[in-house]
């Protein structure tokens, strides 16, 4: 399965010089970091998404080995989430690390392309306007779907303010829907480089920590996940965006 994925999708970061070759490679068309927006200077993209809800963004794993005498004595080691790991200061609960987002998609995947990626000329050659508008998750306790102020990944379609904004855009009054950034996405996105996250002059992985447990010893290490390729590549699928013509 993994080899099929590699043959079908690309997870790189294209520079201006890389884009001509990307246009002829179908694997790269679904990756917003390797495929430029169409040349459409009179168009506008709206990124409308929720923030302020705990969202899974990383995991601690333990390495489990096949038990001696089992029916699968030659079973390869597998990684399972280590539910014994808890660190409230780092927002880790039962082996799962949480961060900001809409409850399904982490903030970086929701907003990186909107506030940073599509601001780069080689990915937005016509300088198309990108409007980013965030909605704070404030569900009503009386409504199991969150009510008119929810910003959950699915239930946000019931958000009264979001529906108003969509109607304004559809009616040709998109100028009445300005950018509104409520989260620290700009600061987080500006720290991203093609090699990883820039933190005080040093690069480090952003979204995943691995906790490996053997029978003899325990050790922790950061995975080699590149946040640009792993956390952002699904932006096109995750960001609720609307493309419309300017008046």
């Amino acid at each position: 399965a993994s080899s099929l994925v590699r043959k079908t999708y690309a997870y790189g970061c294209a520079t201006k010089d890389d884009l001509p070759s990307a246009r002829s490679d179908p694997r790269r068309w679904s990756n917003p970091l390797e495929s430029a927006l169409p040349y459409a200077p009179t168009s506008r993209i709206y990124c409308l998404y929720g923030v302020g809800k705990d969202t899974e963004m990383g995991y601690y794993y333990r390495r489990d080995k096949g038990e001696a005498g089992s029916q699968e004595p030659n079973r390869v080691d597998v990684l399972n989430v280590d539910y014994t790991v808890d660190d409230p200061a780092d927002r880790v609960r039962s082996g799962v690390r949480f961060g900001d987002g809409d409850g399904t998609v982490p903030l970086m995947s929701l907003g990186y392309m909107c506030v940073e990626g599509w601001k780069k000329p080689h990915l937005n050659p016509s300088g198309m306007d990108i409007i980013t508008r965030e909605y704070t998750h404030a569900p009503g306790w009386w409504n199991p779907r969150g009510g008119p102020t929810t910003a959950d990944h699915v239930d946000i379609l019931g958000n009264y303010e979001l529906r108003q904004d969509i109607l304004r855009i559809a009616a040709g009054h998109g100028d009445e829907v300005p950018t509104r950034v409520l989260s620290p996405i700009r600061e987080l996105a500006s720290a991203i480089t093609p090699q990883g996250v820039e933190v005080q002059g040093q690069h480090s992985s952003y979204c995943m920590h691995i906790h490996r447990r053997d029978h003899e010893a325990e050790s922790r290490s950061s995975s080699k996940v590149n946040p640009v390729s792993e956390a952002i590549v699904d932006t096109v699928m995750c960001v609720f965006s609307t493309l419309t013509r300017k008046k």
Side-chain angles (χ1 to χ4, degrees):
S2 60
S3 60
L4 180 61
V5 169
R6 286 193 294 271
K7 291 178 181 178
T8 308
Y9 300 101
Y11 299 96
C13 253
T15 64
K16 181 179 180 180
D17 295 334
D18 295 331
L19 286 180
S21 62
R23 295 191 187 101
S24 59
D25 185 353
R27 297 180 309 120
R28 304 167 79 174
W29 294 347
S30 62
N31 180 359
L33 290 164
E34 293 190 281
S35 184
L37 292 173
Y39 192 87
T42 61
S43 294
R44 179 182 293 154
I45 289 180
Y46 291 87
C47 300
L48 313 176
Y49 58 86
V51 296
K53 184 174 183 180
D54 275 357
T55 305
E56 295 182 21
M57 58 180 291
Y59 306 89
Y60 286 88
Y61 292 96
R62 66 165 180 256
R63 186 182 299 280
D64 291 335
K65 295 185 176 181
E67 298 180 3
S70 69
Q71 294 181 352
E72 302 177 272
N74 298 321
R75 188 186 69 179
V76 298
D77 292 354
V78 295
L79 291 177
N80 291 316
V81 174
D82 189 347
Y83 59 85
T84 65
V85 179
D86 285 286
D87 186 354
D90 206 24
R91 300 176 73 175
V92 177
R93 301 194 300 271
S94 300
V96 180
R97 186 177 184 183
F98 291 86
D100 197 1
D102 67 0
T104 298
V105 182
L107 177 62
M108 189 68 77
S109 292
L110 288 167
Y112 175 81
M113 293 304 299
C114 305
V115 303
E116 184 74 17
W118 285 325
K119 304 296 183 181
K120 302 180 186 300
H122 70 285
L123 294 177
N124 185 1
S126 65
M128 191 186 306
D129 286 344
I130 310 296
I131 305 300
T132 302
R133 192 161 175 83
E134 297 181 338
Y135 304 82
T136 300
H137 182 59
W141 62 267
W142 44 269
N143 191 319
R145 296 296 298 268
T149 55
T150 181
D152 174 79
H153 182 69
V154 173
D155 296 335
I156 193 172
L157 293 177
N159 183 292
Y160 178 75
E161 187 180 13
L162 173 75
R163 293 203 305 266
Q164 280 189 319
D165 290 339
I166 292 175
L167 289 174
R168 289 190 181 100
I169 295 168
H173 296 283
D175 291 338
E176 298 177 15
V177 183
T179 287
R180 181 182 65 191
V181 176
L182 306 172
S183 72
I185 183 59
R186 286 195 177 107
E187 293 79 4
L188 294 172
S190 64
I192 291 287
T193 72
Q195 291 76 34
V197 176
E198 189 75 22
V199 181
Q200 296 181 348
Q202 296 181 348
H203 294 292
S204 64
S205 62
Y206 176 72
C207 39
M208 188 179 292
H209 293 273
I210 298 251
H211 176 51
R212 293 193 175 107
R213 172 175 294 170
D214 294 326
H215 290 291
E216 297 80 18
E218 295 182 7
S219 63
R220 292 191 180 187
S221 63
S222 293
S223 72
K224 299 301 182 181
V225 172
N226 183 329
V228 173
S229 61
E230 296 290 339
I232 303 166
V233 72
D234 57 352
T235 305
V236 168
M237 298 301 294
C238 297
V239 174
F240 186 91
S241 61
T242 305
L243 184 63
T244 184
R245 292 281 178 184
K246 293 182 184 176
K247 291 294 184 181

